[in-house]
Amino acid sequence: MRIGELSRRTGASPRALRYYEEQGLLSPTRLPSGYREYGERDVMTVRRIQVLISAGLGTSVIAEIVPCVEDDTVVLAGKCPELLEGIAQERGRITAAIDDLTAARDILDSLVGRPLWKGLRSV
């Protein structure tokens, strides 16, 4: 499939897909015309990249993780145990940020006279 089809199927812009290629996250084949040709596996790879980016990981870390994926159901398999500690640290950083944001929201709620509603999103 060409870049436009991969873009439609994943929601990633063609620009993002070219960026993923520049970063070594995707390796499409090139047709004699110069067009990029992607396979079915690239659909799952792009979706994984999107999830990892939304989790706050940079493309250099994602480039280390992508080769460790063994199938379509596991993001990181036991194939690369050296990455587990770094991922656990990143998870801890995200958890701490969530805790800090929750505390900040609770303070703002108390300042505007709203009750502290744990676990519910306030508008």
Side-chain angles (χ1 to χ4, degrees), residues 91-113:
R91 185 185 186 287
R93 184 195 65 76
I94 291 169
T95 299
I98 290 169
D99 293 345
D100 290 345
L101 288 170
T102 300
R105 184 196 59 211
D106 290 347
I107 291 168
L108 291 174
D109 284 349
S110 69
L111 290 173
V112 296

Side-chain angles (χ1 to χ4, degrees), residues 41-114:
R41 187 141 181 89
D42 292 319
V43 173
M44 287 304 300
T45 300
V46 170
R47 289 184 179 147
R48 248 185 226 104
I49 291 167
Q50 291 170 319
V51 166
L52 294 170
I53 286 173
S54 69
L57 298 178
T59 55
S60 61
V61 174
I62 295 170
E64 294 180 50
I65 293 171
V66 169
C68 297
V69 176
E70 292 181 348
D71 60 36
D72 291 341
T73 60
V74 178
V75 173
L76 182 63
K79 186 172 155 181
C80 300
E82 67 278 5
L83 296 178
L84 294 178
E85 183 179 337
I87 291 171
Q89 288 175 350
E90 185 62 20
R91 185 185 186 287
R93 184 195 65 76
I94 291 169
T95 299
I98 290 169
D99 293 345
D100 290 345
L101 288 170
T102 300
R105 184 196 59 211
D106 290 347
I107 291 168
L108 291 174
D109 284 349
S110 69
L111 290 173
V112 296
R114 291 187 181 178

Side-chain angles (χ1 to χ4, degrees), residues 16-26 58-60 62-63:
L17 296 172
R18 287 188 293 273
Y19 176 73
Y20 298 161
E21 181 182 356
E22 288 172 12
Q23 298 301 306
L25 303 175
L26 287 175
T59 55
S60 61
I62 295 170

